[in-house]
Amino acid sequence: MAYTDHRILRRVLRREVAGTIGLLADEHDFRAMRRYESFVFDDHTTYLKHMEAVLRSRALQGSHTTVALFDPEDYAEYCAETGLDPDSHTSRTQFTAALASTGPTVPYDGRPLADLLPVLVDEAVRRATWEYAATLLARLGACASCGEDLGRAAFTRASHLLVRILDTAPPGERHLVCSVSGPPETLVAVLHADDIAGRMELDESEVLEFTTVLAVGLATESPGGLVMRTSEAGSPDRIHGWRLRAHGLEPLTAGEVFDAYCTDAESGDLISPESNVDYCEPPDLGEGPSQAHHH
Protein backbone atom coordinates (compact mmCIF):
# COMPACT_ATOMS: atom_id res chain seq x y z
CA MET A 1 0.00 0.00 0.00
CA ALA A 2 2.82 2.38 0.89
CA TYR A 3 4.53 1.56 -2.42
CA THR A 4 1.33 2.39 -4.30
CA ASP A 5 0.96 5.64 -2.38
CA HIS A 6 4.51 6.63 -3.34
CA ARG A 7 3.78 5.96 -7.00
CA ILE A 8 0.64 8.09 -6.85
CA LEU A 9 2.44 10.91 -5.09
CA ARG A 10 5.25 10.90 -7.63
CA ARG A 11 2.73 10.91 -10.48
CA VAL A 12 1.09 13.96 -8.90
CA LEU A 13 4.48 15.67 -8.55
CA ARG A 14 5.30 15.01 -12.22
CA ARG A 15 2.22 17.03 -13.12
CA GLU A 16 3.73 19.94 -11.19
CA VAL A 17 6.87 19.95 -13.35
CA ALA A 18 6.79 22.28 -16.35
CA GLY A 19 8.86 21.28 -19.35
CA THR A 20 10.23 22.70 -22.58
CA ILE A 21 10.74 20.76 -25.80
CA GLY A 22 13.04 22.01 -28.54
CA LEU A 23 11.50 21.46 -31.96
CA LEU A 24 13.25 21.22 -35.34
CA ALA A 25 10.61 22.97 -37.41
CA ASP A 26 11.81 22.34 -40.96
CA GLU A 27 13.68 19.82 -43.06
CA HIS A 28 16.79 22.02 -43.34
CA ASP A 29 17.29 22.24 -39.57
CA PHE A 30 16.52 18.55 -39.21
CA ARG A 31 19.24 17.61 -41.72
CA ALA A 32 21.73 19.79 -39.85
CA MET A 33 21.17 17.75 -36.67
CA ARG A 34 21.67 14.41 -38.42
CA ARG A 35 25.43 14.96 -38.39
CA TYR A 36 25.37 14.02 -34.69
CA GLU A 37 25.39 10.26 -34.03
CA SER A 38 23.42 10.73 -30.83
CA PHE A 39 20.54 12.18 -32.84
CA VAL A 40 18.78 8.96 -33.83
CA PHE A 41 16.05 10.17 -36.21
CA ASP A 42 16.60 9.94 -39.96
CA ASP A 43 13.23 11.18 -41.23
CA HIS A 44 11.67 14.56 -40.41
CA THR A 45 8.08 13.37 -40.81
CA THR A 46 8.67 10.48 -38.41
CA TYR A 47 10.40 12.84 -36.00
CA LEU A 48 7.40 15.20 -35.97
CA LYS A 49 4.99 12.28 -35.52
CA HIS A 50 6.83 11.05 -32.42
CA MET A 51 7.24 14.58 -31.10
CA GLU A 52 3.49 15.12 -31.31
CA ALA A 53 2.90 11.83 -29.47
CA VAL A 54 5.18 12.96 -26.64
CA LEU A 55 3.41 16.31 -26.38
CA ARG A 56 -0.02 14.66 -26.27
CA SER A 57 1.15 12.16 -23.67
CA ARG A 58 2.40 14.93 -21.40
CA ALA A 59 -0.84 16.85 -21.85
CA LEU A 60 -2.91 13.77 -20.91
CA GLN A 61 -0.80 13.43 -17.77
CA GLY A 62 -1.65 17.02 -16.85
CA SER A 63 1.86 18.37 -17.52
CA HIS A 64 2.41 21.86 -18.94
CA THR A 65 4.81 21.96 -21.88
CA THR A 66 6.19 24.85 -23.88
CA VAL A 67 7.61 24.35 -27.35
CA ALA A 68 10.75 26.20 -28.42
CA LEU A 69 12.30 26.57 -31.85
CA PHE A 70 15.54 24.55 -31.91
CA ASP A 71 18.12 26.23 -34.17
CA PRO A 72 21.13 23.97 -34.98
CA GLU A 73 23.44 26.95 -35.62
CA ASP A 74 22.56 28.56 -32.29
CA TYR A 75 23.00 25.17 -30.65
CA ALA A 76 26.50 24.73 -32.10
CA GLU A 77 27.47 28.22 -30.92
CA TYR A 78 26.05 27.52 -27.46
CA CYS A 79 28.09 24.32 -27.15
CA ALA A 80 31.25 26.09 -28.32
CA GLU A 81 30.77 28.87 -25.77
CA THR A 82 29.93 26.56 -22.86
CA GLY A 83 32.40 23.78 -23.69
CA LEU A 84 29.65 21.19 -24.09
CA ASP A 85 29.86 18.22 -26.43
CA PRO A 86 27.30 18.96 -29.19
CA ASP A 87 26.94 15.24 -29.95
CA SER A 88 25.10 14.53 -26.71
CA HIS A 89 21.44 14.40 -25.76
CA THR A 90 22.40 15.98 -22.42
CA SER A 91 23.80 19.03 -24.22
CA ARG A 92 20.64 19.31 -26.31
CA THR A 93 18.57 19.17 -23.14
CA GLN A 94 20.67 21.89 -21.51
CA PHE A 95 20.38 24.10 -24.59
CA THR A 96 16.62 23.61 -24.68
CA ALA A 97 16.39 24.59 -21.02
CA ALA A 98 18.21 27.83 -21.87
CA LEU A 99 15.75 28.45 -24.71
CA ALA A 100 12.92 28.40 -22.19
CA SER A 101 14.12 31.69 -20.74
CA THR A 102 15.79 33.36 -23.72
CA GLY A 103 14.15 32.13 -26.91
CA PRO A 104 10.70 32.24 -28.50
CA THR A 105 8.31 29.65 -27.07
CA VAL A 106 4.62 28.83 -27.31
CA PRO A 107 2.58 26.69 -24.91
CA TYR A 108 1.35 23.34 -26.16
CA ASP A 109 -2.44 23.50 -26.00
CA GLY A 110 -3.40 20.24 -27.65
CA ARG A 111 -3.68 21.50 -31.21
CA PRO A 112 -2.07 19.45 -34.02
CA LEU A 113 1.62 20.08 -34.47
CA ALA A 114 0.95 21.19 -38.07
CA ASP A 115 -1.10 24.08 -36.65
CA LEU A 116 1.31 24.86 -33.83
CA LEU A 117 4.42 25.06 -36.03
CA PRO A 118 3.42 28.23 -37.95
CA VAL A 119 2.60 29.94 -34.64
CA LEU A 120 6.04 29.03 -33.29
CA VAL A 121 7.78 30.27 -36.45
CA ASP A 122 5.78 33.53 -36.34
CA GLU A 123 6.83 33.99 -32.73
CA ALA A 124 10.47 33.51 -33.71
CA VAL A 125 10.15 36.06 -36.52
CA ARG A 126 8.50 38.54 -34.14
CA ARG A 127 11.32 38.09 -31.63
CA ALA A 128 14.01 38.51 -34.29
CA THR A 129 12.27 41.60 -35.68
CA TRP A 130 12.09 43.21 -32.26
CA GLU A 131 15.72 42.40 -31.42
CA TYR A 132 16.92 43.83 -34.73
CA ALA A 133 14.78 46.97 -34.38
CA ALA A 134 15.96 47.48 -30.80
CA THR A 135 19.57 47.16 -31.96
CA LEU A 136 18.99 49.80 -34.65
CA LEU A 137 17.59 52.21 -32.05
CA ALA A 138 20.49 51.59 -29.69
CA ARG A 139 23.01 52.31 -32.46
CA LEU A 140 21.58 55.79 -33.03
CA GLY A 141 23.41 56.99 -29.94
CA ALA A 142 23.08 60.46 -28.46
CA CYS A 143 22.32 63.75 -30.16
CA ALA A 144 25.57 65.57 -30.88
CA SER A 145 24.03 68.90 -29.83
CA CYS A 146 21.92 68.16 -26.74
CA GLY A 147 23.06 64.69 -25.70
CA GLU A 148 19.56 63.21 -25.78
CA ASP A 149 19.38 59.49 -26.51
CA LEU A 150 17.88 59.46 -30.01
CA GLY A 151 16.58 55.90 -29.83
CA ARG A 152 14.87 56.49 -26.50
CA ALA A 153 13.35 59.74 -27.75
CA ALA A 154 11.99 57.97 -30.85
CA PHE A 155 10.53 55.18 -28.72
CA THR A 156 8.82 57.72 -26.45
CA ARG A 157 7.41 59.49 -29.48
CA ALA A 158 6.20 56.21 -30.99
CA SER A 159 4.52 55.26 -27.71
CA HIS A 160 2.70 58.58 -27.64
CA LEU A 161 1.49 58.19 -31.23
CA LEU A 162 0.25 54.65 -30.59
CA VAL A 163 -1.75 55.83 -27.57
CA ARG A 164 -3.29 58.63 -29.65
CA ILE A 165 -4.23 56.17 -32.43
CA LEU A 166 -5.95 53.82 -30.00
CA ASP A 167 -7.64 56.63 -28.09
CA THR A 168 -9.16 58.14 -31.24
CA ALA A 169 -10.01 54.87 -33.01
CA PRO A 170 -13.61 53.75 -33.49
CA PRO A 171 -14.77 51.04 -31.04
CA GLY A 172 -14.28 47.39 -31.94
CA GLU A 173 -11.44 44.98 -32.64
CA ARG A 174 -8.38 46.83 -33.96
CA HIS A 175 -5.71 45.20 -36.10
CA LEU A 176 -2.67 47.41 -36.69
CA VAL A 177 0.28 46.78 -39.01
CA CYS A 178 3.41 48.92 -39.14
CA SER A 179 6.01 48.40 -41.88
CA VAL A 180 9.34 50.16 -42.24
CA SER A 181 11.37 49.74 -45.45
CA GLY A 182 15.12 49.80 -45.54
CA PRO A 183 18.22 47.71 -45.93
CA PRO A 184 18.63 44.89 -45.48
CA GLU A 185 14.90 44.11 -45.29
CA THR A 186 11.48 45.48 -44.39
CA LEU A 187 10.51 45.39 -40.73
CA VAL A 188 6.88 44.49 -40.02
CA ALA A 189 5.07 44.50 -36.67
CA VAL A 190 1.47 43.60 -35.88
CA LEU A 191 -0.68 44.66 -32.94
CA HIS A 192 -4.12 43.44 -31.92
CA ALA A 193 -6.05 45.83 -29.70
CA ASP A 194 -9.56 44.75 -28.81
CA ASP A 195 -11.93 47.26 -27.25
CA ILE A 196 -14.29 45.09 -25.21
CA ALA A 197 -16.97 46.87 -23.20
CA GLY A 198 -14.84 50.00 -23.12
CA ARG A 199 -11.78 48.13 -21.85
CA MET A 200 -8.68 47.81 -24.03
CA GLU A 201 -7.04 44.39 -24.22
CA LEU A 202 -3.41 44.42 -25.37
CA ASP A 203 -0.58 41.93 -25.47
CA GLU A 204 2.44 43.60 -23.82
CA SER A 205 4.93 41.82 -26.09
CA GLU A 206 3.07 42.95 -29.20
CA VAL A 207 2.95 46.53 -27.90
CA LEU A 208 6.70 46.52 -27.28
CA GLU A 209 7.51 45.09 -30.70
CA PHE A 210 5.10 47.39 -32.53
CA THR A 211 6.35 50.51 -30.75
CA THR A 212 9.98 49.59 -31.40
CA VAL A 213 9.44 49.13 -35.15
CA LEU A 214 7.45 52.36 -35.35
CA ALA A 215 10.26 54.15 -33.46
CA VAL A 216 12.81 52.89 -36.01
CA GLY A 217 10.74 54.37 -38.83
CA LEU A 218 10.39 57.71 -37.06
CA ALA A 219 14.05 57.96 -36.06
CA THR A 220 15.61 56.88 -39.35
CA GLU A 221 13.08 58.64 -41.60
CA SER A 222 12.76 55.40 -43.57
CA PRO A 223 9.83 54.89 -45.95
CA GLY A 224 6.99 53.16 -44.20
CA GLY A 225 3.37 53.14 -43.21
CA LEU A 226 0.88 52.23 -40.54
CA VAL A 227 -2.54 50.72 -41.24
CA MET A 228 -5.38 50.05 -38.81
CA ARG A 229 -8.42 47.88 -39.49
CA THR A 230 -11.34 48.18 -37.09
CA SER A 231 -14.08 45.52 -36.95
CA GLU A 232 -17.37 45.82 -35.09
CA ALA A 233 -20.35 43.49 -35.30
CA GLY A 234 -23.10 44.81 -37.53
CA SER A 235 -20.93 47.42 -39.26
CA PRO A 236 -18.52 47.41 -42.22
CA ASP A 237 -14.85 47.13 -41.36
CA ARG A 238 -13.08 50.49 -41.38
CA ILE A 239 -9.51 50.80 -42.70
CA HIS A 240 -7.32 53.82 -41.92
CA GLY A 241 -3.74 54.54 -42.88
CA TRP A 242 -0.80 56.83 -42.17
CA ARG A 243 2.48 57.48 -43.94
CA LEU A 244 5.57 57.55 -41.71
CA ARG A 245 7.32 60.87 -41.53
CA ALA A 246 10.23 62.10 -39.41
CA HIS A 247 8.96 62.18 -35.84
CA GLY A 248 5.32 61.84 -36.93
CA LEU A 249 2.53 60.31 -39.00
CA GLU A 250 0.88 61.79 -42.06
CA PRO A 251 -2.74 60.67 -42.54
CA LEU A 252 -3.67 59.05 -45.83
CA THR A 253 -6.82 60.15 -47.61
CA ALA A 254 -9.61 57.64 -48.16
CA GLY A 255 -8.55 57.45 -51.81
CA GLU A 256 -4.93 56.71 -50.88
CA VAL A 257 -6.01 53.96 -48.49
CA PHE A 258 -8.21 52.48 -51.22
CA ASP A 259 -5.34 52.59 -53.73
CA ALA A 260 -2.95 50.93 -51.26
CA TYR A 261 -5.35 48.06 -50.58
CA CYS A 262 -6.61 47.60 -54.12
CA THR A 263 -3.29 47.60 -55.98
CA ASP A 264 -1.02 44.57 -56.29
CA ALA A 265 2.31 45.56 -54.73
CA GLU A 266 4.38 43.57 -57.25
CA SER A 267 2.52 43.94 -60.55
CA GLY A 268 0.74 47.24 -59.95
CA ASP A 269 -2.50 45.68 -61.22
CA LEU A 270 -5.81 46.65 -59.65
CA ILE A 271 -7.37 44.28 -57.12
CA SER A 272 -11.10 44.14 -56.46
CA PRO A 273 -11.98 45.91 -53.20
CA GLU A 274 -13.24 43.80 -50.32
CA SER A 275 -16.96 43.71 -49.70
CA ASN A 276 -18.36 45.29 -46.54
CA VAL A 277 -15.22 47.41 -46.04
CA ASP A 278 -14.97 51.19 -45.81
CA TYR A 279 -11.67 52.84 -46.75
CA CYS A 280 -11.53 55.97 -44.58
CA GLU A 281 -9.40 58.94 -43.68
CA PRO A 282 -8.11 58.35 -40.11
CA PRO A 283 -9.40 60.24 -37.09
CA ASP A 284 -7.57 63.41 -36.11
CA LEU A 285 -4.83 62.48 -33.64
CA GLY A 286 -4.86 66.00 -32.22
CA GLU A 287 -1.23 66.45 -33.20
CA GLY A 288 0.23 69.72 -34.40
CA PRO A 289 2.97 69.84 -37.05
CA SER A 290 5.62 67.36 -35.98
CA GLN A 291 9.29 68.16 -36.02
CA ALA A 292 12.20 65.77 -36.29
CA HIS A 293 14.91 65.91 -33.68
CA HIS A 294 17.28 68.60 -34.94
CA HIS A 295 18.98 71.82 -33.85
Side-chain angles (χ1 to χ4, degrees):
M1 181 66 180
Y3 174 72
T4 303
D5 288 344
H6 287 162
R7 290 183 61 184
I8 293 173
L9 290 174
R10 289 170 185 171
R11 190 178 305 120
V12 170
L13 283 176
R14 278 197 292 270
R15 293 201 296 265
E16 302 289 329
V17 178
T20 302
I21 289 178
L23 185 65
L24 295 163
D26 58 42
E27 190 76 40
H28 177 269
D29 288 344
F30 180 83
R31 287 198 302 268
M33 291 302 295
R34 289 196 60 199
R35 60 184 165 180
Y36 302 120
E37 291 184 3
S38 59
F39 186 76
V40 297
F41 290 95
D42 55 14
D43 177 75
H44 190 229
T45 301
T46 302
Y47 161 83
L48 291 177
K49 178 181 177 181
H50 284 285
M51 182 66 77
E52 186 161 18
V54 170
L55 288 168
R56 286 179 176 173
S57 175
R58 286 181 55 83
L60 290 173
Q61 295 169 6
S63 299
H64 175 78
T65 310
T66 56
V67 183
L69 204 60
F70 195 105
D71 187 300
E73 292 185 6
D74 290 345
Y75 171 64
E77 291 178 4
Y78 176 84
C79 290
E81 292 172 356
T82 57
L84 294 174
D85 176 12
D87 196 358
S88 166
H89 72 275
T90 303
S91 300
R92 289 193 291 275
T93 301
Q94 192 167 325
F95 174 69
T96 301
L99 286 178
S101 58
T102 61
T105 62
V106 295
Y108 178 70
D109 54 9
R111 80 182 81 178
L113 204 53
D115 295 335
L116 188 69
L117 270 174
V119 177
L120 182 58
V121 172
D122 286 348
E123 181 64 25
V125 171
R126 282 178 49 193
R127 175 71 68 92
T129 297
W130 172 74
E131 290 178 349
Y132 179 67
T135 300
L136 290 179
L137 288 180
R139 287 177 178 171
L140 293 176
C143 174
S145 299
C146 70
E148 182 178 19
D149 187 303
L150 296 175
R152 187 176 303 160
F155 187 89
T156 300
R157 176 62 177 160
S159 299
H160 171 74
L161 288 171
L162 178 57
V163 169
R164 293 301 304 146
I165 290 172
L166 296 178
D167 282 349
T168 58
E173 298 179 358
R174 294 84 175 261
H175 179 82
L176 293 85
V177 178
C178 179
S179 60
V180 177
S181 300
E185 59 188 26
T186 298
L187 297 176
V188 179
V190 177
L191 174 64
H192 300 87
D194 297 339
D195 183 7
I196 301 176
R199 181 170 56 89
M200 188 75 66
E201 291 193 358
L202 295 165
D203 181 284
E204 292 184 3
S205 296
E206 284 190 359
V207 172
L208 177 60
E209 293 155 7
F210 191 91
T211 306
T212 304
V213 170
L214 176 56
V216 168
L218 298 176
T220 61
E221 303 183 32
S222 300
L226 193 158
V227 174
M228 176 175 64
R229 184 175 188 136
T230 304
S231 304
E232 187 177 23
S235 301
D237 285 5
R238 297 169 62 89
I239 299 180
H240 310 285
W242 293 264
R243 187 178 292 108
L244 267 62
R245 288 291 182 254
H247 212 59
L249 297 172
E250 177 184 293
L252 299 178
T253 66
E256 288 174 323
V257 177
F258 179 88
D259 289 343
Y261 264 79
C262 300
T263 303
D264 186 277
E266 294 184 359
S267 67
D269 296 336
L270 294 179
I271 303 172
S272 299
E274 295 183 58
S275 61
N276 203 34
V277 171
D278 289 339
Y279 302 92
C280 314
E281 186 171 343
D284 183 6
L285 300 182
E287 296 276 312
S290 58
Q291 297 292 326
H293 186 106
H294 66 275
H295 298 277

